[in-house]
mmCIF file of all heavy atoms in Angstrom:
data_model
loop_
_atom_site.group_PDB
_atom_site.id
_atom_site.type_symbol
_atom_site.label_atom_id
_atom_site.label_comp_id
_atom_site.label_asym_id
_atom_site.label_seq_id
_atom_site.Cartn_x
_atom_site.Cartn_y
_atom_site.Cartn_z
ATOM 1 N N ASP A 126 40.186 -7.824 -21.260
ATOM 2 C CA ASP A 126 41.446 -7.199 -21.654
ATOM 3 C C ASP A 126 41.918 -6.145 -20.661
ATOM 4 O O ASP A 126 43.118 -6.025 -20.394
ATOM 5 C CB ASP A 126 41.318 -6.578 -23.043
ATOM 6 C CG ASP A 126 41.275 -7.628 -24.144
ATOM 7 O OD1 ASP A 126 41.940 -8.664 -23.995
ATOM 8 O OD2 ASP A 126 40.587 -7.405 -25.147
ATOM 9 N N GLU A 127 41.011 -5.371 -20.110
ATOM 10 C CA GLU A 127 41.389 -4.317 -19.162
ATOM 11 C C GLU A 127 42.049 -4.918 -17.924
ATOM 12 O O GLU A 127 43.108 -4.475 -17.471
ATOM 13 C CB GLU A 127 40.155 -3.519 -18.751
ATOM 14 C CG GLU A 127 40.445 -2.315 -17.890
ATOM 15 C CD GLU A 127 40.805 -1.075 -18.687
ATOM 16 O OE1 GLU A 127 40.151 -0.798 -19.692
ATOM 17 O OE2 GLU A 127 41.773 -0.395 -18.270
ATOM 18 N N THR A 128 41.416 -5.970 -17.389
ATOM 19 C CA THR A 128 41.957 -6.633 -16.201
ATOM 20 C C THR A 128 43.282 -7.318 -16.518
ATOM 21 O O THR A 128 44.230 -7.262 -15.725
ATOM 22 C CB THR A 128 40.950 -7.666 -15.666
ATOM 23 O OG1 THR A 128 39.720 -7.000 -15.366
ATOM 24 C CG2 THR A 128 41.464 -8.355 -14.418
ATOM 25 N N ALA A 129 43.348 -7.965 -17.689
ATOM 26 C CA ALA A 129 44.577 -8.650 -18.091
ATOM 27 C C ALA A 129 45.720 -7.656 -18.229
ATOM 28 O O ALA A 129 46.830 -7.895 -17.731
ATOM 29 C CB ALA A 129 44.355 -9.391 -19.409
ATOM 30 N N SER A 130 45.472 -6.538 -18.889
ATOM 31 C CA SER A 130 46.512 -5.534 -19.078
ATOM 32 C C SER A 130 47.024 -5.017 -17.743
ATOM 33 O O SER A 130 48.238 -4.869 -17.547
ATOM 34 C CB SER A 130 45.966 -4.365 -19.912
ATOM 35 O OG SER A 130 46.917 -3.331 -20.007
ATOM 36 N N ALA A 131 46.114 -4.765 -16.802
ATOM 37 C CA ALA A 131 46.515 -4.248 -15.486
ATOM 38 C C ALA A 131 47.354 -5.271 -14.729
ATOM 39 O O ALA A 131 48.361 -4.911 -14.099
ATOM 40 C CB ALA A 131 45.279 -3.876 -14.679
ATOM 41 N N ALA A 132 46.957 -6.550 -14.776
ATOM 42 C CA ALA A 132 47.703 -7.593 -14.072
ATOM 43 C C ALA A 132 49.090 -7.766 -14.680
ATOM 44 O O ALA A 132 50.098 -7.872 -13.964
ATOM 45 C CB ALA A 132 46.932 -8.914 -14.108
ATOM 46 N N TYR A 133 49.153 -7.789 -16.009
ATOM 47 C CA TYR A 133 50.449 -7.925 -16.679
ATOM 48 C C TYR A 133 51.343 -6.724 -16.392
ATOM 49 O O TYR A 133 52.550 -6.874 -16.179
ATOM 50 C CB TYR A 133 50.249 -8.068 -18.188
ATOM 51 C CG TYR A 133 49.720 -9.410 -18.635
ATOM 52 C CD1 TYR A 133 48.862 -9.518 -19.731
ATOM 53 C CD2 TYR A 133 50.079 -10.580 -17.979
ATOM 54 C CE1 TYR A 133 48.394 -10.746 -20.158
ATOM 55 C CE2 TYR A 133 49.607 -11.819 -18.396
ATOM 56 C CZ TYR A 133 48.763 -11.892 -19.487
ATOM 57 O OH TYR A 133 48.299 -13.107 -19.906
ATOM 58 N N ASP A 134 50.755 -5.537 -16.387
ATOM 59 C CA ASP A 134 51.539 -4.334 -16.127
ATOM 60 C C ASP A 134 52.116 -4.359 -14.712
ATOM 61 O O ASP A 134 53.273 -3.991 -14.492
ATOM 62 C CB ASP A 134 50.653 -3.101 -16.315
ATOM 63 C CG ASP A 134 51.460 -1.836 -16.510
ATOM 64 O OD1 ASP A 134 52.395 -1.842 -17.322
ATOM 65 O OD2 ASP A 134 51.165 -0.838 -15.834
ATOM 66 N N GLU A 135 51.310 -4.802 -13.756
ATOM 67 C CA GLU A 135 51.794 -4.894 -12.373
ATOM 68 C C GLU A 135 52.907 -5.932 -12.267
ATOM 69 O O GLU A 135 53.897 -5.730 -11.551
ATOM 70 C CB GLU A 135 50.645 -5.244 -11.434
ATOM 71 C CG GLU A 135 51.025 -5.191 -9.968
ATOM 72 C CD GLU A 135 49.864 -5.471 -9.025
ATOM 73 O OE1 GLU A 135 48.708 -5.558 -9.490
ATOM 74 O OE2 GLU A 135 50.123 -5.620 -7.805
ATOM 75 N N ALA A 136 52.748 -7.055 -12.977
ATOM 76 C CA ALA A 136 53.789 -8.094 -12.968
ATOM 77 C C ALA A 136 55.092 -7.547 -13.533
ATOM 78 O O ALA A 136 56.174 -7.738 -12.951
ATOM 79 C CB ALA A 136 53.326 -9.307 -13.775
ATOM 80 N N LEU A 137 55.016 -6.851 -14.645
ATOM 81 C CA LEU A 137 56.228 -6.316 -15.280
ATOM 82 C C LEU A 137 56.885 -5.241 -14.430
ATOM 83 O O LEU A 137 58.105 -5.051 -14.482
ATOM 84 C CB LEU A 137 55.880 -5.763 -16.659
ATOM 85 C CG LEU A 137 55.478 -6.806 -17.708
ATOM 86 C CD1 LEU A 137 54.855 -6.139 -18.923
ATOM 87 C CD2 LEU A 137 56.666 -7.672 -18.111
ATOM 88 N N SER A 138 56.088 -4.535 -13.626
ATOM 89 C CA SER A 138 56.649 -3.470 -12.784
ATOM 90 C C SER A 138 57.550 -4.011 -11.682
ATOM 91 O O SER A 138 58.324 -3.253 -11.079
ATOM 92 C CB SER A 138 55.513 -2.642 -12.160
ATOM 93 O OG SER A 138 54.844 -3.373 -11.136
ATOM 94 N N LEU A 139 57.469 -5.315 -11.406
ATOM 95 C CA LEU A 139 58.324 -5.917 -10.382
ATOM 96 C C LEU A 139 59.769 -6.070 -10.862
ATOM 97 O O LEU A 139 60.674 -6.246 -10.052
ATOM 98 C CB LEU A 139 57.770 -7.281 -9.965
ATOM 99 C CG LEU A 139 56.412 -7.279 -9.256
ATOM 100 C CD1 LEU A 139 55.933 -8.708 -9.014
ATOM 101 C CD2 LEU A 139 56.488 -6.519 -7.940
ATOM 102 N N TRP A 140 59.964 -6.001 -12.172
ATOM 103 C CA TRP A 140 61.316 -6.133 -12.713
ATOM 104 C C TRP A 140 62.064 -4.817 -12.534
ATOM 105 O O TRP A 140 61.579 -3.751 -12.909
ATOM 106 C CB TRP A 140 61.274 -6.508 -14.199
ATOM 107 C CG TRP A 140 60.840 -7.923 -14.434
ATOM 108 C CD1 TRP A 140 59.581 -8.424 -14.324
ATOM 109 C CD2 TRP A 140 61.677 -9.011 -14.842
ATOM 110 N NE1 TRP A 140 59.569 -9.763 -14.625
ATOM 111 C CE2 TRP A 140 60.845 -10.154 -14.953
ATOM 112 C CE3 TRP A 140 63.039 -9.130 -15.127
ATOM 113 C CZ2 TRP A 140 61.337 -11.395 -15.336
ATOM 114 C CZ3 TRP A 140 63.533 -10.363 -15.508
ATOM 115 C CH2 TRP A 140 62.682 -11.484 -15.603
ATOM 116 N N ARG A 141 63.270 -4.897 -11.965
ATOM 117 C CA ARG A 141 64.101 -3.716 -11.730
ATOM 118 C C ARG A 141 65.351 -3.731 -12.610
ATOM 119 O O ARG A 141 66.290 -2.980 -12.398
ATOM 120 C CB ARG A 141 64.511 -3.665 -10.257
ATOM 121 C CG ARG A 141 63.339 -3.544 -9.286
ATOM 122 C CD ARG A 141 63.736 -3.830 -7.848
ATOM 123 N NE ARG A 141 64.138 -5.213 -7.666
ATOM 124 C CZ ARG A 141 65.380 -5.609 -7.389
ATOM 125 N NH1 ARG A 141 66.347 -4.725 -7.221
ATOM 126 N NH2 ARG A 141 65.659 -6.892 -7.236
ATOM 127 N N GLY A 142 65.345 -4.598 -13.594
ATOM 128 C CA GLY A 142 66.491 -4.786 -14.480
ATOM 129 C C GLY A 142 66.593 -6.261 -14.816
ATOM 130 O O GLY A 142 65.692 -7.043 -14.503
ATOM 131 N N PRO A 143 67.679 -6.703 -15.452
ATOM 132 C CA PRO A 143 67.854 -8.132 -15.724
ATOM 133 C C PRO A 143 67.851 -8.939 -14.423
ATOM 134 O O PRO A 143 68.451 -8.528 -13.426
ATOM 135 C CB PRO A 143 69.226 -8.201 -16.410
ATOM 136 C CG PRO A 143 69.444 -6.817 -16.946
ATOM 137 C CD PRO A 143 68.787 -5.895 -15.982
ATOM 138 N N ALA A 144 67.166 -10.081 -14.430
ATOM 139 C CA ALA A 144 67.086 -10.912 -13.233
ATOM 140 C C ALA A 144 68.462 -11.420 -12.828
ATOM 141 O O ALA A 144 69.296 -11.747 -13.673
ATOM 142 C CB ALA A 144 66.148 -12.099 -13.475
ATOM 143 N N LEU A 145 68.710 -11.456 -11.512
ATOM 144 C CA LEU A 145 69.946 -12.012 -10.947
ATOM 145 C C LEU A 145 71.194 -11.352 -11.538
ATOM 146 O O LEU A 145 72.227 -11.995 -11.725
ATOM 147 C CB LEU A 145 70.008 -13.532 -11.179
ATOM 148 C CG LEU A 145 68.782 -14.335 -10.749
ATOM 149 C CD1 LEU A 145 68.934 -15.804 -11.126
ATOM 150 C CD2 LEU A 145 68.534 -14.205 -9.260
ATOM 151 N N VAL A 146 71.091 -10.062 -11.803
ATOM 152 C CA VAL A 146 72.139 -9.375 -12.556
ATOM 153 C C VAL A 146 73.473 -9.342 -11.811
ATOM 154 O O VAL A 146 74.538 -9.286 -12.438
ATOM 155 C CB VAL A 146 71.673 -7.946 -12.919
ATOM 156 C CG1 VAL A 146 71.496 -7.078 -11.688
ATOM 157 C CG2 VAL A 146 72.626 -7.291 -13.897
ATOM 158 N N ASP A 147 73.434 -9.388 -10.484
ATOM 159 C CA ASP A 147 74.681 -9.303 -9.708
ATOM 160 C C ASP A 147 74.963 -10.594 -8.940
ATOM 161 O O ASP A 147 75.601 -10.576 -7.888
ATOM 162 C CB ASP A 147 74.615 -8.123 -8.736
ATOM 163 C CG ASP A 147 73.438 -8.209 -7.775
ATOM 164 O OD1 ASP A 147 72.537 -9.064 -7.985
ATOM 165 O OD2 ASP A 147 73.403 -7.437 -6.804
ATOM 166 N N VAL A 148 74.497 -11.695 -9.501
ATOM 167 C CA VAL A 148 74.668 -12.995 -8.839
ATOM 168 C C VAL A 148 75.439 -13.935 -9.763
ATOM 169 O O VAL A 148 75.204 -13.968 -10.974
ATOM 170 C CB VAL A 148 73.294 -13.617 -8.490
ATOM 171 C CG1 VAL A 148 73.458 -15.016 -7.897
ATOM 172 C CG2 VAL A 148 72.534 -12.707 -7.529
ATOM 173 N N ARG A 149 76.367 -14.674 -9.172
ATOM 174 C CA ARG A 149 77.098 -15.710 -9.910
ATOM 175 C C ARG A 149 76.092 -16.774 -10.360
ATOM 176 O O ARG A 149 75.260 -17.230 -9.586
ATOM 177 C CB ARG A 149 78.147 -16.312 -8.983
ATOM 178 C CG ARG A 149 79.028 -17.383 -9.592
ATOM 179 C CD ARG A 149 80.029 -17.858 -8.534
ATOM 180 N NE ARG A 149 80.924 -18.873 -9.062
ATOM 181 C CZ ARG A 149 80.656 -20.179 -9.055
ATOM 182 N NH1 ARG A 149 79.515 -20.611 -8.565
ATOM 183 N NH2 ARG A 149 81.537 -21.045 -9.533
ATOM 184 N N ILE A 150 76.162 -17.190 -11.621
ATOM 185 C CA ILE A 150 75.159 -18.085 -12.195
ATOM 186 C C ILE A 150 75.769 -19.455 -12.484
ATOM 187 O O ILE A 150 76.788 -19.562 -13.164
ATOM 188 C CB ILE A 150 74.574 -17.493 -13.495
ATOM 189 C CG1 ILE A 150 73.920 -16.140 -13.229
ATOM 190 C CG2 ILE A 150 73.571 -18.449 -14.131
ATOM 191 C CD1 ILE A 150 72.743 -16.192 -12.304
ATOM 192 N N GLY A 151 75.123 -20.497 -11.972
ATOM 193 C CA GLY A 151 75.492 -21.870 -12.275
ATOM 194 C C GLY A 151 74.467 -22.490 -13.210
ATOM 195 O O GLY A 151 73.559 -21.812 -13.698
ATOM 196 N N PRO A 152 74.568 -23.798 -13.448
ATOM 197 C CA PRO A 152 73.695 -24.434 -14.458
ATOM 198 C C PRO A 152 72.205 -24.347 -14.141
ATOM 199 O O PRO A 152 71.388 -24.202 -15.051
ATOM 200 C CB PRO A 152 74.184 -25.888 -14.489
ATOM 201 C CG PRO A 152 74.966 -26.077 -13.229
ATOM 202 C CD PRO A 152 75.544 -24.761 -12.893
#
Side-chain angles (χ1 to χ4, degrees):
D126 287 326
E127 186 85 43
T128 302
S130 175
Y133 286 146
D134 199 48
E135 187 177 352
L137 292 167
S138 73
L139 295 175
W140 288 74
R141 298 166 294 112
L145 309 176
V146 66
D147 58 349
V148 176
R149 182 179 181 272
I150 301 297

